[in-house]
């Protein structure tokens, strides 16, 4: 299916990479769902000229062409702001005062969203370079013929498994305002959406998953080899036993969104404990994490002031469940409640508590021991970043990107042996491999 689509949902603010065909900008826009307020507020005050200054550096211009587009948006917002001020209404004055009050936090948020190479902020507390994830170059050795890769997991043989959308893209016409998928009549994705790659070479080992999904999003392969998939069009979560294309568990009602015990609304991710208890992040519209027993019976729910719970990672030995609260630009860690008689599910884990920590616009988290690995996507397209964070404090330990830079990183997974980390992106559709210490 072509990505021509109907009119964009955010007509006032369209951006892309100047000089490049924005073949993916449309659905990235949809995936990012930036709001005009988010864009305009930082640009509305003269105090922000420092930021605009940053954009005008020739080095940055050369490296990040799309910054030009962002600068233009800034100018538009500025003009918008002037016209609002010229109205001299009482409301406009109140608005200005409010803007001034929130400006410092917005500046901090912008800095968190920019890669360290731009902000000049020290990349990390003293960490020897050797402990940073190291990109495995020239991997995979083959060219993958895949669509938007939205999920990655690692199987019991330490091979990476990816979930992609074939020729389907999430664009402005994919859903109606109530969240109903608009293209049910097109049928499910015909391509094999689940692909296993060889950890050493990246060559194809297995592929399956055609005619099952409409807009798959999250992927997990649990310790017993079951494959779990969330689908945001179907509003469902599936569990496939090893070697089977028939789900042994299906949760949610096909194409029906909701927020009760039997429905999801665009669920994003699944993590599974060794006992089979699993957690679902729900999701794009609901603001909750659901906990189920191994048979799929709902045990508990944790609802928070989330703005797109986009990814989960479980550190069972610590009873920690960390959540990528995407549009709030923060990571929140809670207790998974897996240890009898100890901390309850949903109680805060670590000193950051329920408020979590503002770390930048975080798309996905994975973990190894005391370290969290997270991928970030700036509101300034193309300036994405990977960060290692300390699980307890959520402070940044190091920052890393592949030599080619990240496109729009969407998911991250660490192998069970802890030696490799994989990151998939939705534009361009690629997988990156990093070696971990
Ligand atoms: Zn997503």
């Amino acid at each position: 299916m072509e990505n021509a689509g109907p009119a964009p949902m955010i007509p006032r603010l369209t951006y892309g990479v100047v000089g490049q065909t924005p073949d993916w900008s449309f659905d990235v826009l949809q995936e990012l769902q930036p709001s005009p307020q988010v864009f305009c507020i930082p640009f509305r005050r003269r105090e922000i000229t420092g930021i605009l200054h940053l954009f005008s550096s020739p080095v940055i211009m050369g490296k990040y062409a799309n910054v030009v587009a962002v600068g233009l948006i800034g100018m538009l917002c500025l003009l918008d702001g002037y016209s609002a001020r010229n109205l001299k209404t009482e409301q406009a004055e109140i608005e200005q005062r409010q803007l001034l009050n929130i400006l410092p936090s917005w500046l901090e948020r912008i800095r968190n969203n920019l890669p360290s190479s731009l902000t000049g902020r020290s990349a990390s507390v003293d960490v020897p370079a050797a402990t940073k994830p190291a990109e495995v170059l020239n991997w995979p050795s083959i060219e993958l013929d895949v669509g938007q890769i939205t999920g990655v997991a690692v199987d019991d043989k330490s091979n990476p498994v990816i979930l992609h959308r074939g020729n389907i893209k999430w664009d402005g016409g994919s859903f109606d305002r109530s969240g109903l998928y608009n293209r049910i009549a097109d049928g499910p994705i015909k391509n094999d959406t689940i692909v296993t790659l060889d950890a050493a070479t990246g060559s194809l080992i297995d592929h399956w998953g055609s005619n099952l999904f409409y807009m798959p999003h999250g992927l997990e392969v649990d310790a017993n080899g079951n494959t779990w998939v969330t689908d945001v069009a179907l509003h469902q979560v599936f569990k496939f036993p090893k070697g089977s294309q028939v789900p042994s568990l299906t949760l949610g009602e096909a194409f029906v969104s909701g927020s009760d015990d039997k429905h999801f609304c665009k669920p994003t991710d699944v993590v599974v404990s060794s006992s089979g208890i699993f957690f679902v992040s729900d999701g794009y519209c609901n603001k909750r994490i659901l906990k189920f027993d191994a048979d799929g019976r709902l045990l508990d729910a944790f609802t928070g002031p989330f703005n797109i719970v986009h990814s989960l990672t479980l550190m069972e030995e610590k009873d920690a469940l960390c959540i990528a609260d995407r549009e709030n630009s923060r990571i929140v860690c809670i207790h998974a409640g897996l240890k009898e008689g100890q901390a309850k599910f949903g109680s805060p884990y670590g000193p950051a508590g329920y408020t979590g920590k503002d770390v930048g616009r975080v798309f996905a988290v994975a973990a190894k021991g005391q370290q969290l690995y997270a991928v970030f996507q700036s509101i300034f397209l193309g300036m994405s970043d990977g960060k290692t964070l300390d699980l307890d404090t959520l402070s940044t330990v190091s920052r890393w990107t592949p030599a080619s830079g990240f496109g729009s990183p969407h998911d991250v997974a660490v192998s069970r042996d802890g030696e490799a980390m994989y990151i998939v992106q939705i534009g361009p559709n690629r997988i990156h491999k990093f070696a971990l210490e």
Side-chain angles (χ1 to χ4, degrees):
M1 187 168 63
E2 287 302 311
N3 187 26
M9 286 178 66
I10 309 130
R12 283 184 60 206
L13 293 167
T14 321
Y15 55 80
V17 181
V18 173
Q20 286 183 27
T21 314
D23 60 320
W24 46 269
S25 65
F26 199 68
D27 36 84
V28 167
L29 255 181
Q30 181 60 21
E31 183 82 13
L32 304 186
Q33 299 184 333
S35 70
Q37 289 79 9
V38 166
F39 264 109
C40 283
I41 283 172
F43 292 110
R44 271 192 171 180
R45 302 295 307 177
R46 268 172 297 164
E47 289 81 350
I48 209 75
T49 47
I51 293 290
L52 291 172
H53 219 76
L54 182 74
F55 293 150
S56 64
S57 148
V59 179
I60 294 165
M61 283 302 191
K63 205 169 170 190
Y64 298 100
N66 57 48
V67 169
V68 177
V70 176
L72 286 173
I73 291 168
M75 297 304 288
L76 286 173
C77 292
L78 215 60
L79 287 171
D80 190 36
Y82 275 125
S83 57
R85 276 197 288 282
N86 289 339
L87 292 174
K88 296 241 187 299
T89 62
E90 200 179 318
Q91 184 54 38
E93 275 183 34
I94 293 169
E95 195 182 304
Q96 279 178 42
R97 271 202 302 277
Q98 285 172 343
L99 289 177
L100 263 182
N101 288 339
I102 61 166
L103 197 66
S105 68
W106 269 103
L107 282 170
E108 183 57 24
R109 182 166 286 196
I110 287 170
R111 288 193 72 192
N112 275 325
N113 272 307
L114 289 170
S116 47
S117 56
L118 284 186
T119 59
R121 178 184 278 188
S122 136
S124 49
V125 232
D126 283 325
V127 183
T131 63
K132 267 193 186 187
E135 185 186 10
V136 178
L137 296 167
N138 304 315
W139 188 99
S141 55
I142 58 157
E143 186 99 1
L144 294 174
D145 182 18
V146 290
Q148 294 186 326
I149 314 177
T150 60
V152 62
V154 182
D155 70 13
D156 49 354
K157 297 192 181 74
S158 284
N159 290 318
V161 184
I162 60 173
L163 174 71
H164 74 100
R165 291 178 177 159
N167 56 351
I168 297 298
K169 289 181 179 180
W170 189 336
D171 60 36
S174 297
F175 292 90
D176 72 10
R177 292 212 169 269
S178 71
L180 179 74
Y181 189 54
N182 275 333
R183 297 180 183 136
I184 299 173
D186 292 349
I189 297 170
K190 311 284 183 291
N191 315 66
D192 280 338
T193 51
I194 299 173
V195 179
T196 305
L197 304 174
D198 182 81
T201 63
S203 58
L204 286 186
I205 290 182
D206 191 20
H207 48 94
W208 61 282
S210 60
N211 297 307
L212 288 171
F213 311 119
Y214 285 74
M215 187 73 76
H217 189 277
L219 176 75
E220 167 81 348
V221 178
D222 69 24
N224 295 316
N226 301 298
T227 301
W228 299 72
V229 174
T230 72
D231 190 309
V232 293
L234 285 161
H235 303 289
Q236 284 180 307
V237 176
F238 302 94
K239 174 191 179 183
F240 298 90
K242 196 173 189 172
S244 171
Q245 299 196 29
V246 180
S248 59
L249 190 65
T250 301
L251 296 172
E253 186 180 349
F255 302 116
V256 180
S257 65
S259 54
D260 60 20
D261 291 2
K262 300 264 180 269
H263 294 86
F264 302 102
C265 189
K266 296 182 183 161
T268 49
D269 199 10
V270 184
V271 283
V272 187
S273 75
S274 54
S275 69
I277 286 176
F278 62 96
F279 302 85
V280 175
S281 48
D282 179 36
Y284 273 83
C285 9
N286 291 331
K287 302 170 188 297
R288 59 184 187 171
I289 313 298
L290 301 173
K291 180 179 180 179
F292 295 90
D293 72 9
D295 298 319
R297 279 186 293 262
L298 184 65
L299 295 173
D300 214 341
F302 174 70
T303 304
F306 296 123
N307 190 356
I308 305 190
V309 277
H310 199 256
S311 165
L312 297 174
T313 190
L314 177 66
M315 287 133 286
E316 213 169 329
E317 67 287 357
K318 296 172 188 292
D319 197 47
L321 180 68
C322 291
I323 303 152
D325 184 9
R326 198 182 89 176
E327 295 310 297
N328 281 333
S329 291
R330 62 179 190 155
I331 292 175
V332 177
C333 295
I334 56 175
H335 280 281
L338 293 171
K339 293 185 177 169
E340 199 86 13
Q342 294 188 27
K344 262 182 67 220
F345 169 61
S347 59
Y349 179 93
Y354 285 125
T355 49
K357 187 147 181 182
D358 186 346
V359 286
R361 202 153 166 274
V362 55
F363 271 65
V365 279
K368 176 189 171 184
Q370 186 60 25
Q371 307 211 301
L372 282 179
Y373 300 96
V375 285
F376 295 82
Q377 200 167 300
S378 164
I379 51 171
F380 308 108
L381 288 184
M383 293 199 249
S384 301
D385 218 356
K387 295 180 195 171
T388 308
L389 307 129
D390 176 75
L391 169 64
D392 290 338
T393 61
L394 298 179
S395 53
T396 305
V397 178
S398 65
R399 293 183 178 225
W400 32 270
T401 52
S404 61
F406 280 125
S408 301
H410 194 267
D411 197 13
V412 53
V414 171
S415 63
R416 285 192 170 72
D417 59 18
E419 290 180 1
M421 173 173 67
Y422 299 92
I423 289 138
V424 292
Q425 51 181 61
I426 55 174
N429 306 318
R430 281 197 59 187
I431 176 167
H432 302 278
K433 179 178 182 179
F434 285 79
L436 299 179
E437 280 281 296

